[in-house]
Amino acid sequence: MTKKKWLLIPLVLVLILVSFYCYQAIQFQNKFLDKTMIGNTDVSKLTKEEAKTKLNELVDAEVYRVLDNGEVFKEIPKKELGMEYDIDKTVNNAMSKQNSWLWFMSYIQAPEKEDLEAKGINKESLNKIMDSVNKELEAFNKNRKQTKNASVEQKDGKFQIIPEVQGDSIDTKKFISAAAKSIEKGESDIELTKFIEKPTILATDDNLKKELDNINKVAEINASYSINGQEVKIPKDKMASWVIFEDGKLNLKQDEVKKYVEELGATYNTSTNPSKFKSTKRGEVSVPAGALSWTIATDTEVAQLTEQILKGEDFSGRVPAFQGSGTPASSLIGNSYIEVDLQNQHMWYYKDGQVALEIPVITGKPSTPTPPGVFYVWNKKRNEILRGEDYASPVDYWMPIDWTGVGIHDSPWQNDGAYGGNSFQTVGSHGCINTPPSVCAKLFDMIEVGVPVVVF
């Protein structure tokens, strides 16, 4: 064979290859390349019309797949979503994206998958299905390792930074939002692992370290109240147990703080607890709660106490937030008060701890007894007429002490010798404290509105 004939062989081979390449390129100008997928349907080597026909036949079988690391976690028939597709537009778009002159690349790697173009979707159906998927994912997450932020916790008797934990639980909120958008776009699947929760606070976070310092300050402060003239210390270990660090913020366990404040109220509220009182003749007595009292305002005090503690500074003498006619800032009764001893039928007025006036009195008769309690003179009036169901009594001096009509007043209708003793059993009042007119006038001038009245 001559040299020229040998040279013709490679040329012929090249011509054959070029011809085959061009033939294939021309063929794929009107047909889809190998491995071409539209949605979940293989349209390889089909013309546009053939692809449209096939897709129209199979569209009802289209499913939206939720994948877990490539494996199917859930399939949702798209028809259940009320989805409609623009098959013509989808096929035309897919065909326009393919380059027939690169037909050989489909044997190396599959062309990019084309999703079905959605015309519309039933929002109500979508929301219902997403709710169902969300419940399945919540159950799914229970068996997976939970992701946790780094935190500051009390461990082995001291606060320390606990490192973050990278789990494999799914951020369901982000996933559901993304899946809904994906379905509306007409996409065919979504991968769960793209939505694995990630810790947002790491153990190396400078703010976390600063908060640890702040927590240690808070846990070590000395704190106390001043209630009824007494110092009430807040136990350090109790305060330390309240401290929490959540979402990058130092705070106190509000339910525990509230429990403590409620316990304070149960112990010290004068609106519900009797007061100890050192009487003139009977020694220490227990006097029931009356009109002069206060109650810790629980919710307000919880908020204020929390703010105070979180400053991380020692404090003492704190007066709790309260409501009522009295105040916890000092002793409820103090050194200036009126004492009414029902048993001895006697009344004293103490001014700065010294007896300024004393006199026998007549209190309520057995059928309408004078109520015991810690009260106060909340008004002073001259020339009043005291009225009841069966009486109308004019008085020169009227000093009401509670909200039911009980008060101290002069009683000119009583005999001078009737005051004191057991007279109240026969000529007793309707509950008021009857006082000799001359002494009542002195008392009226001596006292100020607000003076406590202790009746026992």
Side-chain angles (χ1 to χ4, degrees):
M1 187 178 290
T2 66
K3 186 176 181 180
K4 287 184 177 180
K5 289 182 179 180
W6 279 109
L7 291 174
L8 285 175
I9 293 174
L11 181 61
V12 171
L13 289 174
V14 169
L15 287 174
I16 292 172
L17 288 173
V18 169
S19 298
F20 178 73
Y21 172 79
C22 291
Y23 173 78
Q24 289 288 86
I26 293 170
Q27 287 290 312
F28 284 117
Q29 285 181 351
N30 297 306
K31 292 182 179 181
F32 284 106
L33 299 174
D34 280 337
K35 303 178 184 177
T36 301
M37 298 290 293
I38 297 181
N40 297 320
T41 302
D42 185 355
V43 293
S44 302
K45 298 181 180 178
L46 297 181
T47 65
K48 287 197 293 184
E49 293 306 315
E50 289 171 339
K52 291 175 184 179
T53 300
K54 185 174 183 179
L55 286 169
N56 278 313
E57 290 174 351
L58 298 178
V59 72
D60 284 345
E62 278 287 316
V63 295
Y64 183 79
R65 298 185 303 166
V66 179
L67 305 176
D68 179 21
N69 202 25
E71 299 293 326
V72 176
F73 170 75
K74 183 177 181 63
E75 288 187 339
I76 305 169
K78 290 187 176 180
K79 64 180 181 181
E80 291 183 7
L81 298 170
M83 293 187 73
E84 296 181 4
Y85 300 99
D86 192 333
I87 301 298
D88 288 351
K89 185 177 179 180
T90 301
V91 170
N92 291 336
N93 284 344
M95 183 63 78
S96 66
K97 291 177 182 178
Q98 101 175 4
N99 187 339
S100 62
W101 295 100
L102 296 177
W103 56 267
F104 59 91
M105 292 297 295
S106 63
Y107 294 100
I108 301 172
Q109 63 181 34
E112 186 174 338
K113 181 179 178 181
E114 184 76 14
D115 289 313
L116 285 165
E117 185 80 20
K119 284 184 178 179
I121 191 169
N122 186 309
K123 290 280 189 180
E124 185 177 344
S125 297
L126 175 61
N127 291 335
K128 185 176 181 180
I129 287 175
M130 287 296 98
D131 286 343
S132 175
V133 172
N134 187 57
K135 290 178 181 178
E136 289 183 51
L137 285 177
E138 287 176 352
F140 177 71
N141 271 341
K142 290 180 180 179
N143 297 318
R144 295 173 79 93
K145 186 177 182 180
Q146 300 300 304
T147 294
K148 294 181 181 179
N149 284 332
S151 61
V152 177
E153 297 178 14
Q154 193 173 27
K155 189 175 181 181
D156 299 328
K158 64 178 182 178
F159 286 94
Q160 53 189 285
I161 294 176
I162 306 301
E164 70 278 2
V165 175
Q166 177 60 68
D168 58 359
S169 57
I170 304 301
D171 186 330
T172 56
K173 186 175 181 179
K174 288 184 178 179
F175 171 79
I176 293 299
S177 176
K181 292 177 182 177
S182 171
I183 291 171
E184 288 176 352
K185 290 179 181 177
E187 295 173 354
S188 296
D189 54 54
I190 189 169
E191 176 58 57
L192 278 174
T193 54
K194 292 181 179 180
F195 301 92
I196 288 177
E197 290 182 300
K198 299 183 183 300
T200 56
I201 302 175
L202 307 181
T204 55
D205 192 303
D206 288 338
N207 289 329
L208 199 62
K209 295 176 182 177
K210 290 178 182 178
E211 289 301 337
L212 178 59
D213 292 337
N214 291 335
I215 287 172
N216 286 325
K217 287 181 182 178
V218 168
E220 289 299 318
I221 67 172
N222 297 297
S224 66
Y225 280 101
S226 178
I227 302 178
N228 288 341
Q230 303 176 46
E231 182 184 31
V232 180
K233 293 184 178 180
I234 306 176
K236 276 190 175 183
D237 58 344
K238 186 176 287 290
M239 275 193 297
S241 72
W242 296 342
V243 179
I244 54 173
F245 186 79
E246 291 180 338
D247 300 324
K249 186 177 180 181
L250 173 63
N251 208 335
L252 302 183
K253 298 175 184 175
Q254 294 299 283
D255 56 338
E256 292 296 320
V257 180
K258 184 174 183 179
K259 181 180 177 182
Y260 174 72
V261 172
E262 288 174 340
E263 290 172 352
L264 276 183
T267 302
Y268 296 102
N269 284 345
T270 58
S271 59
T272 53
N273 290 295
S275 296
K276 297 296 183 182
F277 174 69
K278 189 176 181 180
S279 69
T280 303
K281 287 190 174 183
R282 292 160 54 189
E284 186 176 84
V285 294
S286 180
V287 184
L292 179 60
S293 65
W294 54 264
T295 303
I296 292 178
T298 301
D299 291 342
T300 302
E301 179 55 22
V302 168
Q304 292 182 1
L305 179 60
T306 298
E307 182 180 0
Q308 181 73 59
I309 292 174
L310 290 178
K311 291 178 181 178
E313 301 170 355
D314 291 352
F315 64 89
S316 61
R318 172 174 174 76
V319 177
F322 68 96
Q323 55 192 21
S325 53
T327 171
S330 59
S331 175
L332 187 65
I333 299 170
N335 292 323
S336 296
Y337 55 87
I338 296 171
E339 175 185 349
V340 179
D341 187 331
L342 298 175
Q343 180 177 304
N344 289 292
Q345 290 291 288
H346 207 86
M347 179 170 69
W348 295 263
Y349 170 50
Y350 280 82
K351 176 69 173 177
D352 297 327
Q354 301 297 318
V355 176
L357 180 150
E358 65 169 305
I359 192 72
V361 294
I362 298 174
T363 62
K365 57 183 177 287
S367 60
T368 55
T370 300
V374 181
F375 305 103
Y376 70 105
V377 174
W378 57 268
N379 201 358
K380 291 169 60 179
K381 286 190 174 183
R382 291 293 311 276
N383 304 317
E384 287 289 302
I385 297 178
L386 308 181
R387 301 181 185 277
E389 292 183 2
D390 57 355
Y391 68 90
S393 303
V395 298
D396 292 333
Y397 305 97
W398 170 234
M399 293 162 276
I401 66 172
D402 78 350
W403 313 119
T404 66
V406 173
I408 302 169
H409 61 77
D410 55 306
S411 48
W413 55 86
Q414 299 282 13
N415 294 323
D416 289 342
Y419 295 96
N422 295 320
S423 297
F424 75 95
Q425 295 181 0
T426 55
V427 295
S429 70
H430 291 88
C432 286
I433 300 154
N434 285 189
T435 309
S438 60
V439 179
C440 196
K442 292 179 182 178
L443 180 65
F444 190 90
D445 291 335
M446 294 172 72
I447 67 169
E448 301 291 337
V449 170
V451 66
V453 181
V454 187
V455 183
F456 59 95

